[in-house]
Amino acid sequence: MAELRPSGAPGPTAPPAPGPTAPPAFASLFPPGLHAIYGECRRLYPDQPNPLQVTAIVKYWLGGPDPLDYVSMYRNVGSPSANIPEHWHYISFGLSDLYGDSRVHEFTGTDGPSGFGFELTFRLKRETGESAPPTWPAELMQGLARYVFQSENTFCSGDHVSWHSPLDNSESRIQHMLLTEDPQMQPVQTPFGVVTFLQIVGVCTEELHSAQQWNGQGILELLRTVPVAGGPWLITDMRRGETIFEIDPHLQERVDKGIETDGSNLSGVSAKCAWDDLSRPPEDDEDSRSICIGTQPRRLSGKDTEQIRETLRRGLEINSKPVLPPINPQRQNGLTHERAPSRKDSLESDSSTAIIPHELIRTRQLESVHLKFNQESGALIPLCLRGRLLHGRHFTYKSITGDMAITFVSTGVEGAFATEEHPYAAHGPWLQILLTEEFVEKMLEDLEDLTSPEEFKLPKEYSWPEKKLKVSILPDVVFDSPLH
């Protein structure tokens, strides 16, 4: 639950936003992290000292469901000369450390990130006659914040979020999001670390798919060139009825050329997937990482999850040879990915390190494997092959319904435990598959219908007997079953 009030209205847990001339005694009582972010807001909006604000009635640190303490909403006049329309500017408070007393985030020093290191912003085109900002973007931001707090996965510029629903619950085509640096908000140094500002940009399904197949930054640059699709400040217009490719068909050529030249920077996804070792009888579960009925399979070790997390984080390797991080990476000063030790790895399950010691899990060579994906995950296989492996890279599917993963690697990737001699290899429940360029080309031909979902009927099976590889595309309900 949340309530709407001016930020200058008195509240039980947060005082009004102080200006640069706030009395010293009042400023000293104001949470320092919150004060620092408000200072940046006041720099941009000196004429709006008390904007409307959505605030969580019960704060997250008091057991409430909403991680963001506040979302402030400003009226931005834009820049008519630069073709930037008037819009509402939403700014979150709570992903960074506002208080510095460990009620939400552990203090890790002033030089690193504050909390998760960022706050979210959103720019929504103001409709004619609209006198107050809609509040639905605040709930959208709370939804993204819940994901960050629950998964402890941070966002970066160029990331995409598959939402699969109109952002405002209307009939809009704007159903997904990209993330980029806010064009006006500058990074803030707070007493608890640095805070940057990531702006949410609403996009159509076709634009999301292009970002997946190529890269988010490339699509963001195209959106900046189309005023009605975002323009220089990437302002979301929920009434936009056309994709950028319908507005300017030449933009599709730029995407196609970018994919051919750069490949994709999508290095992995969380997905509904599974794998079976066809090299041994199904009842032999000693080392099997397939779906187990009536048994409890071993889980990914903490060190495996750390390596998989790194493969998902690294993205597009342009200037260096693609390398999978080592199974036992060396940490520096107890930190991983600029994250405090209290933050668990984003792909690590609570019990993953307690099932079996990492050192006792041996890497196995498999003779034959069966891969299983739902339709949405399977539709990304051509992207994996064409956009990643043909460019000498790797791609990881991390199961969201079980503790396992599948990584496809090309012959140019170093650090993999799958080799040309043994192309199928498993380390516990983590399977790696090494594919030669010749075999990738063959698979792309055979999997061509995956790119036409409207003509696709489930279940669907593909098989390459000479390679002892089988791929099945199955309904979601199979992966949602309690047997998985």
Side-chain angles (χ1 to χ4, degrees), residues 464-476:
W464 298 271
E466 72 283 2
K467 297 291 186 179
K468 299 183 180 180
L469 176 64
K470 184 165 64 173
V471 173
S472 293
I473 312 298
L474 304 171
D476 280 8

Side-chain angles (χ1 to χ4, degrees), residues 252-275:
Q252 185 62 56
E253 298 175 8
R254 292 178 59 180
V255 172
D256 293 340
K257 184 177 180 180
I259 295 172
E260 180 181 352
T261 303
D262 305 329
S264 171
N265 75 339
L266 183 65
S267 60
V269 292
S270 295
K272 292 184 177 180
C273 61
W275 62 272

Side-chain angles (χ1 to χ4, degrees), residues 114-154:
S114 169
F116 287 105
F118 68 96
E119 294 290 352
L120 294 170
T121 74
F122 183 63
R123 294 175 186 268
L124 177 67
K125 183 181 178 183
R126 177 178 174 267
E127 300 297 336
T128 303
E130 206 169 44
S131 58
T135 58
W136 63 260
E139 180 53 38
L140 181 74
M141 297 165 91
Q142 289 283 15
L144 292 178
R146 290 186 200 104
Y147 164 78
V148 172
F149 272 80
Q150 291 166 10
S151 69
E152 300 199 344
N153 241 344
T154 58

Side-chain angles (χ1 to χ4, degrees), residues 36-45 184-186 188 197:
I37 299 173
Y38 268 129
E40 176 64 10
C41 295
R42 294 290 289 273
R43 181 185 69 82
L44 285 183
Y45 301 105
Q184 288 186 298
M185 304 285 287
Q186 299 297 317
V188 172
F197 297 90

Side-chain angles (χ1 to χ4, degrees), residues 2-6 52-55 73 133 135:
E3 64 177 348
L4 179 66
R5 62 176 177 81
L52 283 176
Q53 191 176 70
V54 174
T55 179
M73 301 175 287
T135 58

Side-chain angles (χ1 to χ4, degrees), residues 212-215 255-267 315-323 381-395 408-414 435-438 440-441 444:
Q212 291 176 327
Q213 293 163 11
W214 183 22
N215 62 73
V255 172
D256 293 340
K257 184 177 180 180
I259 295 172
E260 180 181 352
T261 303
D262 305 329
S264 171
N265 75 339
L266 183 65
S267 60
L316 184 63
E317 303 91 347
I318 298 177
N319 298 319
S320 61
K321 191 171 185 179
V323 178
I381 297 177
L383 180 158
C384 159
L385 300 177
R386 181 177 293 109
R388 297 293 296 179
L389 269 65
L390 286 183
H391 290 264
R393 303 182 184 124
H394 49 78
F395 189 91
F408 291 89
V409 299
S410 68
T411 54
V413 175
E414 296 179 350
L435 302 176
T436 64
E437 184 175 337
E438 181 182 7
V440 168
E441 296 284 6
L444 283 170

Side-chain angles (χ1 to χ4, degrees), residues 23 53 60 87 94 118 143 161 168 223 266 280 283 287 336-337 341 351 380:
Q53 191 176 70
Y60 190 74
H87 58 278
F118 68 96
V161 178
D168 61 351
L223 289 166
L266 183 65
R280 60 179 67 240
E283 64 272 11
D287 287 301
T336 301
H337 187 32
S351 57
L380 293 174

Side-chain angles (χ1 to χ4, degrees), residues 91-125:
I91 301 168
S92 77
F93 299 83
L95 284 160
S96 63
D97 189 354
L98 304 179
Y99 304 98
D101 56 8
S102 298
R103 71 179 73 180
V104 179
H105 302 281
E106 183 176 343
F107 175 67
T108 58
T110 59
D111 296 333
S114 169
F116 287 105
F118 68 96
E119 294 290 352
L120 294 170
T121 74
F122 183 63
R123 294 175 186 268
L124 177 67
K125 183 181 178 183

